[in-house]
Amino acid sequence: MASAAIFSSLRRRRSPSLEAFLAPVDLTDVALIQTLASVSTELVSCFSGKSFFFQRKNSRSLIRKIELFVVLLEYLRDSGSGPNLSSTSIVCFKELYLLLYRSKILLDYCAQSSKLWLLLQNQSISGHFHDLNQEIWTLLDVFPLGDLELSEDVREQIELMQKQTRKARLYIDKNDEALRVRLFSFLDEFENGRISSVVELRSFFVDNLGIRDAKSCRTEIEFLEEQIVNHEGDVEPTASVLNGFVAITRYCRFLLFGFETNEVELQFGSQKKPRKGLISQEIADTFISIPKDFCCPISLDLMRDPVIISTGQTYDRSSISRWVEEGHSTCPKTGQMLTNTRLVPNRALKNLIVQWCTAHGIPYEPPENTDSSAEAFAATLPTKAAIEANRATARLLIQQLANGSQGAKTVAAREIRLLAKTGKENRAFIAEAGAIPHLRKLLSSSNPVAQENSVTAMLNLSIYDKNKSHIMDEEGCLGSIVEVLRFGLTTEARENAAATLFSLSAVHDYKKRIADEEGAVEALAGLLRVGTPRGKKDAVTALFNLSTHTENCARMIEAGAVTALVGALGIEGVAEEAAGALALIVRQPIGAEAVGREEMAVSGLIGMMRCGTPRGKENAVAALLELCRSGGAAATERVIRAPALAGLLQTLLFTGTKRARRKAASLARVFQRCENYALHFGGLGAGYAFAGNSATNRDSSFVGDVSVAMSISVPVL
């Protein structure tokens, strides 16, 4: 069985203090005795008056043993026996030092852990107390008491403790164990489709566990969720079972304590948690030149724990793990199917990030959990009990959305947002239970928190494909989402409205409807121009999706989307998608004409060919090729005369992606048909012609010509 210190580390996901494992090698004689007396006295002072809800008898027994060590150590300290200690005694006292620190860790664990978690771990924690008891007996058995000049009463107390520890057996409190069995019986009942009565649940949670309000319930939920995230497969119960207990506790939270007493932020800005990040808001606002390779393609934030997935792409562990947890089986960047869900730490990149942060004075704090893997999330697939409990919770929440007070509706929207964050089952039954019409009404709420939660809940629900039609078919729902995008009361509400439009536009038949909705494209273009880095990402992905429908071209030009996309060519993080959208728009003559009128279009695309990512270069050369094909002689001449294009094309022919090489070769053939070709490009013609022999004709579909990473990052707040 693992030591108490190691067991403790399972919760915090960080190594216990080194004092738990390392003896004080630099302390001898008097200093060692004084240190031990101080440590043991502090332990007794800290825990003797503390009330332990579980493990009461084991905790008191351990504290009493420490009290006896205090008696021994204070006697030795006061009598000045330190200089006379034998080498064997010193070794034993150093071992006692380790035992005291491990006792502190275990007692801390019992005092700080949630009640449900302690109940679930009742047998295991009891085993750790027994292990410590056995180690104390072993220490006392070899302790050379004869070498110490002890008074008779001190010696008798130590010898009595030695006899008691030798006879001690594993103790598991029968009442605690009965509660643990009852807790599992609730899981079985939900598993079998039977919802426990209010009386039974109140008796267990309120009377037996002392969980008397919504805040305490939330604390229990958060603690269990922490165990799921940090789960490594070496503790029980499994993460999927813990999910069931989380779902049951969440159900009880609203069934037993209602909605009005919830601590949710009903006033805008009160106690609102900031988005987690590694760099200060000032740095984020100025968008310091963070190398793009250091940013996660999903979150766009500086990576704390870069990992490599099966396609060879690198992501921040938390972002890709959440992606896998949401049920996706493809690479967010390339769209390739994942052959496995293993996450391999990219230590070389992490070292570079740390060095860069140090050089630029940016604080870098590695995540507490750096060794979890996607297997941990695979293990959290919901059990039937979790699904049934969440279904029952959803019914309670939707009842409040329909009939509750404004405060209760705000609480319910927030909880639906969180419930819909993961799992297609949750998203499916929330929509089936009728949440969408009520969420639509909240979109126009004057309460910023209610509006933000409702639009984010709508975003989370829309990820499930079947819910897209429910949202689009709900009268006035699309218009309400666009209104939030245009006039939303918070930045996050506007950003998530844009992400919702992107999610909905994944269905081809909805792209035209979204583009035709009054103000939708204009608002997306505005967000792309002046939004936050995350907002720009949401906007450009939505605009890209809309640009894949040929009938949207005129609308996007009229709404100023083309100008916004051209301006985005110079913005790191959104340039790829902007170039991809432009490559689709210029396929049509009116689109080519509109792009040709933009003064910075050609230079922006040339800049991407020079400094962009492989996909960015691919999209840029595709856009220039389509501009030549559809924009007429003037546009072609403008592209041909672009400075440095010849060298960039030649480089792309040898170093670009397969599609980029094909587009570059096709563009070279366009040049060959132009007057003054030899004047502009001299001896490069033969090379282009040779490379162009393998080029295919113009594709009829955009799929093979434009490459972008399309993914939704579901908010976690």
Side-chain angles (χ1 to χ4, degrees):
M1 188 175 290
S3 72
I6 296 174
F7 177 82
S8 161
S9 71
L10 292 174
R11 178 165 74 92
R12 291 186 174 85
R13 307 316 315 153
R14 57 178 178 265
S15 299
S17 171
L18 285 178
E19 288 105 339
F21 301 105
L22 301 179
V25 295
D26 57 332
L27 296 180
T28 58
D29 301 338
V30 177
L32 177 59
I33 295 299
Q34 290 176 340
T35 300
L36 286 171
S38 175
V39 170
S40 56
T41 301
E42 181 183 353
L43 265 176
V44 171
S45 173
C46 182
F47 293 106
S48 61
K50 191 174 290 293
S51 176
F52 292 88
F53 200 87
F54 293 113
Q55 298 295 334
R56 287 182 290 270
K57 184 174 179 179
N58 282 327
S59 299
R60 295 303 170 205
S61 176
L62 180 58
I63 292 169
R64 282 195 296 270
K65 293 180 179 66
I66 297 173
E67 288 173 342
L68 291 178
F69 281 122
V70 170
V71 172
L72 169 65
L73 294 166
E74 287 184 344
Y75 179 85
L76 293 174
R77 181 193 61 191
D78 297 341
S79 64
S81 300
N84 302 320
L85 293 179
S86 66
S87 59
T88 304
S89 298
I90 291 176
V91 170
C92 288
F93 278 123
K94 288 185 176 181
E95 180 63 25
L96 176 60
Y97 181 92
L98 302 181
L99 286 175
L100 289 174
Y101 265 98
R102 289 169 59 191
S103 298
K104 180 181 185 300
I105 289 172
L106 186 55
L107 291 170
D108 266 335
Y109 190 72
C110 292
Q112 297 176 14
S113 295
S114 79
K115 295 175 180 178
L116 285 174
W117 180 250
L118 288 174
L119 198 58
L120 292 171
Q121 297 296 319
N122 187 47
Q123 294 184 358
S124 177
I125 297 174
S126 297
H128 289 295
F129 276 105
H130 181 64
D131 287 348
L132 273 177
N133 190 79
Q134 291 297 103
E135 291 177 33
I136 291 173
W137 170 72
T138 301
L139 173 64
L140 293 176
D141 191 49
V142 300
F143 207 101
L145 289 177
D147 295 349
L148 302 177
E149 297 179 0
L150 300 176
S151 65
E152 191 66 27
D153 62 325
V154 173
R155 185 181 300 275
E156 286 179 357
Q157 291 183 66
I158 299 302
E159 289 176 345
L160 179 60
M161 179 167 60
Q162 182 181 9
K163 293 177 182 179
Q164 291 174 339
T165 53
R166 182 174 66 248
K167 295 178 181 179
R169 298 291 180 266
L170 172 66
Y171 175 77
I172 298 176
D173 189 287
K174 292 181 179 179
N175 292 330
D176 294 351
E177 188 62 13
L179 287 176
R180 189 181 73 86
V181 172
R182 183 67 183 112
L183 180 58
F184 273 92
S185 72
F186 289 132
L187 195 70
D188 291 336
E189 289 176 9
F190 277 92
E191 189 83 25
N192 295 318
R194 298 192 304 272
I195 298 179
S196 305
S197 70
V198 178
V199 174
E200 290 176 307
L201 292 171
R202 184 179 299 278
S203 173
F204 181 81
F205 281 89
V206 178
D207 299 337
N208 293 326
L209 296 188
I211 300 174
R212 306 183 188 282
D213 52 41
K215 182 178 180 180
S216 299
C217 229
R218 190 198 74 241
T219 300
E220 295 288 329
I221 292 170
E222 290 176 349
F223 196 98
L224 292 181
E225 288 178 333
E226 185 182 350
Q227 310 316 308
I228 295 173
V229 172
N230 296 331
H231 190 265
E232 281 186 343
D234 53 359
V235 293
E236 292 292 337
T238 63
S240 58
V241 173
L242 287 177
N243 252 330
F245 290 124
V246 167
I248 292 172
T249 308
R250 183 183 293 114
Y251 173 66
C252 292
R253 171 182 175 180
F254 297 106
L255 179 71
L256 301 179
F257 308 118
F259 293 78
E260 297 298 347
T261 57
N262 188 273
E263 73 296 337
V264 73
E265 308 90 340
L266 297 180
Q267 298 300 321
F268 176 60
S270 64
Q271 300 180 352
K272 184 168 182 175
K273 294 181 180 179
R275 281 185 174 177
K276 292 182 179 179
L278 294 173
I279 55 179
S280 65
Q281 187 59 47
E282 291 77 10
I283 296 175
D285 290 341
T286 57
F287 211 63
I288 191 171
S289 301
I290 302 174
K292 187 173 183 182
D293 289 341
F294 292 178
C295 296
C296 176
I298 296 176
S299 67
L300 302 182
D301 291 331
L302 188 69
M303 285 188 279
R304 306 173 70 195
D305 187 16
V307 292
I308 304 170
I309 63 174
S310 61
T311 61
Q313 300 295 328
T314 295
Y315 300 91
D316 199 20
R317 186 185 294 276
S318 60
S319 296
I320 192 62
S321 295
R322 188 166 61 247
W323 173 266
V324 174
E325 181 187 17
E326 289 163 5
H328 299 288
S329 58
T330 58
C331 173
K333 201 169 183 181
T334 66
Q336 295 174 266
M337 292 295 295
L338 300 177
T339 58
N340 59 68
T341 54
R342 243 183 106 228
L343 302 181
V344 180
N346 192 336
R347 293 187 175 87
L349 179 58
K350 185 174 181 179
N351 289 336
L352 291 175
I353 293 174
V354 172
Q355 293 173 16
W356 183 85
C357 288
T358 302
H360 289 80
I362 296 175
Y364 179 87
E365 298 177 3
E368 293 181 353
N369 179 22
T370 59
D371 54 358
S372 64
S373 64
E375 284 85 352
F377 288 96
T380 66
L381 295 175
T383 61
K384 185 179 178 182
I387 293 173
E388 291 302 320
N390 284 334
R391 192 188 301 273
T393 302
R395 288 195 291 267
L396 291 176
L397 296 174
I398 293 169
Q399 287 174 7
Q400 291 300 313
L401 281 180
N403 305 312
S405 65
Q406 285 303 115
K409 289 179 180 180
T410 302
V411 173
R414 177 179 183 271
E415 294 305 318
I416 287 178
R417 164 187 182 169
L418 297 176
L419 195 59
K421 189 172 68 173
T422 58
K424 65 179 182 180
E425 295 87 357
N426 291 356
R427 296 176 185 127
F429 62 63
I430 289 173
E432 290 168 1
I436 291 174
H438 302 299
L439 290 172
R440 180 194 64 76
K441 294 177 183 177
L442 271 186
L443 291 174
S444 57
S445 172
S446 59
N447 184 323
V449 178
Q451 184 187 73
E452 182 180 307
N453 284 323
S454 59
V455 74
T456 308
M458 201 77 78
L459 166 61
N460 295 346
L461 291 173
S462 73
I463 295 172
Y464 182 53
D465 287 342
K466 292 184 179 179
N467 286 346
K468 289 178 170 60
S469 60
H470 293 317
I471 295 172
M472 293 296 291
D473 293 342
E474 175 65 27
E475 184 177 357
C477 193
L478 176 60
S480 297
I481 294 171
V482 172
E483 284 299 298
V484 175
L485 172 64
R486 298 174 67 188
F487 309 114
L489 301 174
T490 69
T491 299
E492 186 172 357
R494 295 191 293 274
E495 291 174 352
N496 288 344
T500 305
L501 294 183
F502 165 66
S503 176
L504 296 172
S505 64
V507 178
H508 184 73
D509 292 343
Y510 299 155
K511 295 175 182 178
K512 185 69 165 60
R513 287 179 58 185
I514 293 172
D516 288 343
E517 188 69 33
E518 182 180 0
V521 180
E522 289 89 345
L524 289 172
L527 188 60
L528 180 56
R529 284 192 295 268
V530 299
T532 65
R534 192 181 299 273
K536 291 176 187 289
K537 184 72 172 179
D538 293 330
V540 77
T541 50
L543 288 172
F544 172 84
N545 248 15
L546 297 180
S547 68
T548 62
H549 197 297
T550 56
E551 295 182 21
N552 286 341
C553 184
R555 181 74 188 91
M556 295 183 72
I557 296 170
E558 177 188 357
V562 170
T563 301
L565 289 167
V566 170
L569 291 174
I571 301 175
E572 193 173 13
V574 297
E576 274 182 22
E577 291 86 350
L582 290 173
L584 296 168
I585 291 173
V586 296
R587 283 175 168 269
Q588 300 183 57
I590 58 170
E593 181 182 353
V595 174
R597 288 196 301 267
E598 295 292 331
E599 184 176 347
M600 301 303 296
V602 173
S603 60
L605 293 169
I606 293 293
M608 279 204 67
M609 288 181 62
R610 179 183 296 108
C611 304
T613 63
R615 273 188 305 281
K617 294 176 181 179
E618 179 183 310
N619 291 343
V621 71
L624 291 172
L625 174 61
E626 296 300 335
L627 185 59
C628 291
R629 286 173 169 172
S630 305
T636 302
E637 182 72 11
R638 187 175 177 185
V639 172
I640 291 174
R641 292 183 180 277
L645 180 60
L648 292 172
L649 277 174
Q650 188 172 33
T651 300
L652 204 56
L653 282 167
F654 293 101
T655 64
T657 64
K658 182 178 179 180
R659 283 192 291 255
R661 292 196 301 269
R662 189 182 72 212
K663 296 301 178 184
S666 298
L667 186 54
R669 289 201 302 275
V670 172
F671 292 161
Q672 288 174 344
R673 294 193 294 269
C674 293
E675 293 180 2
N676 301 323
Y677 171 78
L679 175 62
H680 294 301
F681 292 93
L684 290 176
Y688 284 152
F690 177 79
N693 289 338
S694 61
T696 59
N697 294 329
R698 174 174 176 172
D699 299 329
S700 59
S701 169
F702 71 87
V703 176
D705 294 336
V706 181
S707 174
V708 295
M710 296 189 297
S711 64
I712 296 178
S713 178
V714 181
V716 296
L717 298 182

